[in-house]
mmCIF file of all heavy atoms in Angstrom:
data_model
loop_
_atom_site.group_PDB
_atom_site.id
_atom_site.type_symbol
_atom_site.label_atom_id
_atom_site.label_comp_id
_atom_site.label_asym_id
_atom_site.label_seq_id
_atom_site.Cartn_x
_atom_site.Cartn_y
_atom_site.Cartn_z
ATOM 1 N N LEU A 135 94.309 86.115 78.049
ATOM 2 C CA LEU A 135 93.271 86.212 77.052
ATOM 3 C C LEU A 135 92.004 85.665 77.508
ATOM 4 O O LEU A 135 90.858 86.248 77.590
ATOM 5 C CB LEU A 135 93.494 85.595 75.787
ATOM 6 C CG LEU A 135 92.571 85.678 74.610
ATOM 7 C CD1 LEU A 135 92.243 87.135 74.231
ATOM 8 C CD2 LEU A 135 93.187 84.996 73.310
ATOM 9 N N ILE A 164 88.643 94.324 72.442
ATOM 10 C CA ILE A 164 89.475 94.697 71.405
ATOM 11 C C ILE A 164 89.969 96.148 71.555
ATOM 12 O O ILE A 164 91.158 96.485 71.407
ATOM 13 C CB ILE A 164 88.824 94.451 69.964
ATOM 14 C CG1 ILE A 164 88.640 92.904 69.838
ATOM 15 C CG2 ILE A 164 89.730 94.908 68.879
ATOM 16 C CD1 ILE A 164 87.776 92.555 68.610
ATOM 17 N N MET A 167 92.435 96.527 74.430
ATOM 18 C CA MET A 167 93.733 96.029 74.065
ATOM 19 C C MET A 167 94.556 97.093 73.185
ATOM 20 O O MET A 167 95.698 97.263 73.348
ATOM 21 C CB MET A 167 93.705 94.602 73.411
ATOM 22 C CG MET A 167 93.236 93.487 74.228
ATOM 23 S SD MET A 167 94.406 93.168 75.703
ATOM 24 C CE MET A 167 93.383 93.907 77.044
ATOM 25 N N HIS A 168 93.770 97.577 72.347
ATOM 26 C CA HIS A 168 94.477 98.627 71.354
ATOM 27 C C HIS A 168 94.887 99.764 72.115
ATOM 28 O O HIS A 168 95.930 100.355 72.044
ATOM 29 C CB HIS A 168 93.384 99.018 70.314
ATOM 30 C CG HIS A 168 93.972 100.085 69.312
ATOM 31 N ND1 HIS A 168 94.849 99.767 68.474
ATOM 32 C CD2 HIS A 168 93.703 101.486 69.193
ATOM 33 C CE1 HIS A 168 95.277 100.875 67.784
ATOM 34 N NE2 HIS A 168 94.475 101.872 68.299
ATOM 35 N N ALA A 169 93.949 100.337 73.108
ATOM 36 C CA ALA A 169 94.444 101.378 73.990
ATOM 37 C C ALA A 169 95.532 101.154 74.891
ATOM 38 O O ALA A 169 96.399 101.945 75.156
ATOM 39 C CB ALA A 169 93.155 101.784 74.818
ATOM 40 N N ARG A 171 98.007 99.198 74.409
ATOM 41 C CA ARG A 171 99.274 99.263 73.635
ATOM 42 C C ARG A 171 99.902 100.639 73.745
ATOM 43 O O ARG A 171 101.070 100.724 74.027
ATOM 44 C CB ARG A 171 98.968 98.809 72.267
ATOM 45 C CG ARG A 171 98.734 97.341 71.963
ATOM 46 C CD ARG A 171 98.398 97.112 70.597
ATOM 47 N NE ARG A 171 99.390 97.377 69.648
ATOM 48 C CZ ARG A 171 99.279 97.304 68.254
ATOM 49 N NH1 ARG A 171 98.080 97.067 67.678
ATOM 50 N NH2 ARG A 171 100.279 97.616 67.530
ATOM 51 N N GLN A 200 102.200 91.939 74.453
ATOM 52 C CA GLN A 200 101.157 91.126 74.772
ATOM 53 C C GLN A 200 99.767 91.607 74.357
ATOM 54 O O GLN A 200 98.949 90.884 73.901
ATOM 55 C CB GLN A 200 101.234 90.743 76.290
ATOM 56 C CG GLN A 200 100.156 89.668 76.630
ATOM 57 C CD GLN A 200 100.217 89.364 78.229
ATOM 58 O OE1 GLN A 200 100.035 90.079 78.965
ATOM 59 N NE2 GLN A 200 100.655 88.105 78.467
ATOM 60 N N ALA A 201 99.458 92.878 74.715
ATOM 61 C CA ALA A 201 98.236 93.637 74.280
ATOM 62 C C ALA A 201 98.071 93.399 72.758
ATOM 63 O O ALA A 201 96.962 93.187 72.245
ATOM 64 C CB ALA A 201 98.299 94.978 74.755
ATOM 65 N N ALA A 202 99.113 93.613 72.058
ATOM 66 C CA ALA A 202 98.967 93.507 70.606
ATOM 67 C C ALA A 202 98.649 92.091 70.160
ATOM 68 O O ALA A 202 97.851 91.825 69.210
ATOM 69 C CB ALA A 202 100.316 94.051 69.852
ATOM 70 N N GLU A 203 99.289 91.128 70.739
ATOM 71 C CA GLU A 203 99.204 89.796 70.413
ATOM 72 C C GLU A 203 97.712 89.385 70.766
ATOM 73 O O GLU A 203 96.920 88.717 69.873
ATOM 74 C CB GLU A 203 99.996 88.842 71.132
ATOM 75 C CG GLU A 203 101.480 88.860 70.712
ATOM 76 C CD GLU A 203 102.377 88.219 71.497
ATOM 77 O OE1 GLU A 203 102.111 87.707 72.694
ATOM 78 O OE2 GLU A 203 103.483 87.866 71.010
ATOM 79 N N MET A 204 97.063 89.898 71.865
ATOM 80 C CA MET A 204 95.762 89.600 72.259
ATOM 81 C C MET A 204 94.752 90.243 71.336
ATOM 82 O O MET A 204 93.733 89.618 70.838
ATOM 83 C CB MET A 204 95.447 90.007 73.717
ATOM 84 C CG MET A 204 96.172 89.213 74.669
ATOM 85 S SD MET A 204 95.890 89.845 76.386
ATOM 86 C CE MET A 204 94.252 89.705 76.580
ATOM 87 N N GLU A 205 95.080 91.463 70.925
ATOM 88 C CA GLU A 205 94.238 92.176 69.970
ATOM 89 C C GLU A 205 94.114 91.431 68.700
ATOM 90 O O GLU A 205 93.003 91.393 68.047
ATOM 91 C CB GLU A 205 94.739 93.601 69.745
ATOM 92 C CG GLU A 205 93.872 94.516 68.933
ATOM 93 C CD GLU A 205 94.509 95.870 68.670
ATOM 94 O OE1 GLU A 205 95.595 96.113 69.299
ATOM 95 O OE2 GLU A 205 93.977 96.653 67.845
ATOM 96 N N TYR A 206 95.196 90.980 68.173
ATOM 97 C CA TYR A 206 95.245 90.255 66.854
ATOM 98 C C TYR A 206 94.395 88.983 66.935
ATOM 99 O O TYR A 206 93.745 88.612 66.089
ATOM 100 C CB TYR A 206 96.753 90.006 66.483
ATOM 101 C CG TYR A 206 96.814 89.092 65.258
ATOM 102 C CD1 TYR A 206 96.669 89.702 63.987
ATOM 103 C CD2 TYR A 206 97.055 87.647 65.440
ATOM 104 C CE1 TYR A 206 96.744 88.840 62.876
ATOM 105 C CE2 TYR A 206 97.056 86.917 64.208
ATOM 106 C CZ TYR A 206 96.944 87.461 63.009
ATOM 107 O OH TYR A 206 96.980 86.650 61.922
ATOM 108 N N SER A 207 94.622 88.219 68.132
ATOM 109 C CA SER A 207 93.833 87.020 68.322
ATOM 110 C C SER A 207 92.371 87.249 68.261
ATOM 111 O O SER A 207 91.684 86.453 67.527
ATOM 112 C CB SER A 207 94.293 86.269 69.519
ATOM 113 O OG SER A 207 95.638 85.995 69.565
ATOM 114 N N LEU A 208 91.918 88.225 68.870
ATOM 115 C CA LEU A 208 90.516 88.582 68.938
ATOM 116 C C LEU A 208 90.025 88.999 67.692
ATOM 117 O O LEU A 208 88.955 88.735 67.172
ATOM 118 C CB LEU A 208 90.188 89.564 70.073
ATOM 119 C CG LEU A 208 90.336 89.092 71.440
ATOM 120 C CD1 LEU A 208 90.501 90.252 72.460
ATOM 121 C CD2 LEU A 208 89.207 88.168 71.800
ATOM 122 N N ASP A 209 90.724 89.927 66.957
ATOM 123 C CA ASP A 209 90.348 90.710 65.771
ATOM 124 C C ASP A 209 90.216 89.681 64.679
ATOM 125 O O ASP A 209 89.364 89.887 63.781
ATOM 126 C CB ASP A 209 91.349 91.761 65.463
ATOM 127 C CG ASP A 209 90.698 92.843 64.485
ATOM 128 O OD1 ASP A 209 89.582 93.056 64.609
ATOM 129 O OD2 ASP A 209 91.514 93.483 63.752
ATOM 130 N N THR A 210 91.059 88.687 64.564
ATOM 131 C CA THR A 210 90.907 87.785 63.464
ATOM 132 C C THR A 210 90.103 86.622 63.774
ATOM 133 O O THR A 210 89.786 85.678 62.985
ATOM 134 C CB THR A 210 92.395 87.230 63.058
ATOM 135 O OG1 THR A 210 92.946 86.484 64.336
ATOM 136 C CG2 THR A 210 93.203 88.453 62.744
#
Side-chain angles (χ1 to χ4, degrees):
L135 182 56
I164 293 171
M167 290 301 105
H168 180 72
R171 289 170 62 185
Q200 186 179 63
E203 290 175 344
M204 290 176 64
E205 184 183 355
Y206 175 78
S207 295
L208 289 165
D209 200 30
T210 61

